[in-house]
Amino acid sequence: MKVLVSGKGGCGKSTISAMLGKYLAEKGYRVLIIDADESNPGLYRMLGLPKVKTLAEHLGGKTRAKILMAAEGQGELDEELFNWTLDDIPEEILAKKGNLAVLTIGKIEEAEEGCACPYGFLARKLLEGIKLGENEVIIVDTEAGIEHFGRGVDKYVDVVIDVAEPSVESIELSKKIATLSRSLGLTHVLVLNKALPGVEDKLPVKPDVTIPFDQGFILDSLNGKEVRPVKQIEELWEIIPG
């Protein structure tokens, strides 16, 4: 199964991606988290893993990714490029711990280096080509907003986990995410994160899963601790059709 985590900036996408990945790995699944957010550097820290070379760096850098993207536009791309299984992924771009691994697509490193479109292209082609076996799960941690829908990344996943926080802006974006997910025939699951008592009754939509606000996550982050799965993550997995 390929699961994509989407939502407004700061809503907790990376935290939920990390918690779900840890939970599934502990349950015996083989899990690959794809870090498709070209900005946020924190996913490795959340999982207690070292940073390693990105997919873009492995292929020759952002310039090489641009060349590949242009080749696709001209119908000249080798479509076998990412016809991988989890075992085919080069070791130098995987940070691993037990059943859990993280692969980063690419990061914006310099001012004025240009848009992140080549990284979106690489994420899309990787998800299109990679083949999963039994009890193997990919979790895609996306950038803030919905640009990944425009890039076609979501076309190659099975489920969209839509993370919202209790704000008008976040809920409105989640409505758009729900519409876009369903237009692609994808299962859409709404997670209300950082919920304070009473806020769920004020929302114009009903969450599938609600995770209460917990200041402990903030303190743990400042102290450099790994994230820990909360009980609602099990509830989240149980409602995702497998």
Side-chain angles (χ1 to χ4, degrees):
M1 178 177 291
K2 299 173 186 177
V3 178
L4 182 141
V5 183
S6 181
K8 178 179 171 291
C11 67
K13 295 184 297 298
S14 295
T15 300
I16 288 174
S17 296
M19 288 196 295
L20 181 59
K22 273 195 165 188
Y23 169 79
L24 293 177
E26 290 168 1
K27 290 293 183 181
Y29 289 89
R30 192 177 182 191
V31 182
L32 174 66
I33 300 180
I34 296 177
D35 181 0
D37 183 349
E38 62 273 0
S39 301
N40 185 4
L43 188 56
Y44 286 107
R45 181 202 57 75
M46 291 180 182
L47 294 164
L49 292 169
K51 289 182 66 175
V52 296
K53 184 176 287 190
T54 67
L55 174 60
E57 290 169 335
H58 170 75
L59 293 172
K62 193 174 185 181
T63 299
R64 174 62 176 162
K66 289 179 179 178
I67 292 171
L68 293 173
M69 185 167 64
E72 182 188 44
Q74 296 167 3
E76 299 174 355
L77 180 68
D78 179 4
E79 293 295 338
E80 302 293 317
L81 185 62
F82 295 119
N83 281 358
W84 291 342
T85 66
L86 294 189
D87 291 319
D88 296 327
I89 300 174
E91 289 289 326
E92 71 169 359
I93 60 174
L94 288 177
K96 297 192 292 186
K97 181 189 292 185
N99 291 334
L100 179 64
V102 176
L103 181 157
T104 296
I105 300 296
K107 298 291 182 183
I108 298 294
E109 301 290 354
E110 299 177 5
E112 299 184 331
E113 72 171 67
C115 77
C117 297
Y119 300 145
F121 159 78
L122 292 180
R124 173 169 56 83
K125 297 307 292 185
L126 177 61
L127 286 168
E128 179 184 4
I130 199 164
K131 303 297 187 293
L132 295 181
E134 187 176 356
N135 292 325
E136 293 181 344
V137 179
I138 285 177
I139 300 169
V140 188
D141 181 24
T142 63
E143 77 280 3
I146 56 174
E147 188 171 349
H148 46 87
F149 279 101
R151 292 173 177 170
V153 174
D154 304 69
K155 182 179 179 180
Y156 299 103
V157 302
D158 305 297
V159 177
V160 173
I161 297 176
D162 176 5
V163 183
E165 58 186 1
S167 71
V168 172
E169 294 78 12
S170 187
I171 295 300
E172 287 301 311
L173 181 61
S174 287
K175 291 179 182 178
K176 183 67 172 179
I177 291 170
T179 299
L180 293 171
S181 299
R182 289 163 185 154
S183 74
L184 294 174
L186 303 175
T187 298
H188 173 265
V189 179
L190 177 59
V191 176
L192 177 66
N193 192 31
K194 300 188 268 187
L196 294 169
V199 299
E200 192 172 343
D201 296 336
K202 304 292 184 182
L203 301 180
V205 294
K206 181 172 177 54
D208 296 294
V209 177
T210 298
I211 301 177
F213 175 81
D214 183 353
Q215 190 172 339
F217 278 102
I218 299 173
L219 297 176
D220 285 350
S221 175
L222 292 173
N223 289 323
K225 294 183 179 180
E226 298 179 28
V227 297
R228 61 192 190 283
V230 294
K231 63 180 182 180
Q232 289 82 9
I233 293 298
E234 180 177 4
E235 178 185 349
L236 170 61
W237 183 248
E238 286 178 350
I239 67 175
I240 291 176

